[in-house]
Amino acid sequence: MDEDILKKYGDVDTCPVRNILDRFGDKWSTLVLLVLGEKEKLRFNELNKYIQTISQKMLTVTLKKLETDGLVNRTIYAQVPPKVEYELTDLGRSLLPNLQNLVKWANDNIDEIKNNRTKVG
């Protein structure tokens, strides 16, 4: 076994890739980041409408995770009813080009991947 590879990727606590992907590698976090990257500021219900298939509970959990990691900022306005907006932080915006590259790769290769899936499945 190659010890260098094991040291790099083997332990979730010391492997930055595993640690980061564990936090935002799910489909919802990535979609929230991409939508906020395009729309800049959105309220909860607006985000929910753009993503459509996410439940309100899952969107809440996802936004809290992204906020905890410093990728999304939540602003609460003191008014009745309360107004809350979400936007990417500088750290979140720095991740966008990488996610946009993934989107481009997915768009460029989805037909081949779907074709391969039908061969195997």
Side-chain angles (χ1 to χ4, degrees):
M1 186 178 303
D2 190 325
E3 292 298 318
D4 288 336
I5 293 174
L6 184 59
K7 283 180 185 177
K8 266 199 273 186
Y9 306 116
D11 183 14
V12 71
D13 294 327
T14 59
C15 175
V17 173
R18 285 178 66 168
N19 190 286
I20 299 298
L21 287 178
D22 182 51
R23 290 295 288 202
F24 77 84
D26 63 278
K27 65 182 175 182
W28 302 126
S29 296
T30 302
L31 289 173
V32 166
L33 292 167
L34 288 166
V35 169
L36 286 174
E38 289 190 34
K39 298 305 287 183
E40 294 187 23
K41 278 187 186 180
L42 289 172
R43 296 179 72 174
F44 183 90
N45 286 332
E46 293 171 320
L47 261 170
N48 200 8
K49 286 177 185 173
Y50 278 112
I51 298 175
Q52 293 185 0
T53 54
I54 191 171
S55 69
Q56 289 188 350
K57 179 182 178 184
M58 197 67 229
L59 181 55
T60 299
V61 169
T62 300
L63 286 166
K64 283 182 182 179
K65 275 192 340 182
L66 294 171
E67 185 180 7
T68 298
D69 284 352
L71 299 171
V72 169
N73 186 44
R74 181 176 75 148
T75 304
I76 303 169
Y77 297 92
Q79 63 185 55
V80 178
K83 178 180 175 182
V84 180
E85 289 182 331
Y86 297 90
E87 64 184 320
L88 295 180
T89 62
D90 289 341
L91 184 62
R93 279 190 290 280
S94 74
L95 177 58
L96 267 182
N98 298 296
L99 293 178
Q100 290 163 337
N101 283 334
L102 178 60
V103 169
K104 181 184 180 334
W105 182 89
N107 286 330
D108 290 347
N109 293 287
I110 190 64
D111 291 336
E112 183 176 350
I113 290 169
K114 284 182 176 179
N115 186 42
N116 289 337
R117 287 177 184 168
T118 60
K119 292 177 189 174
V120 175

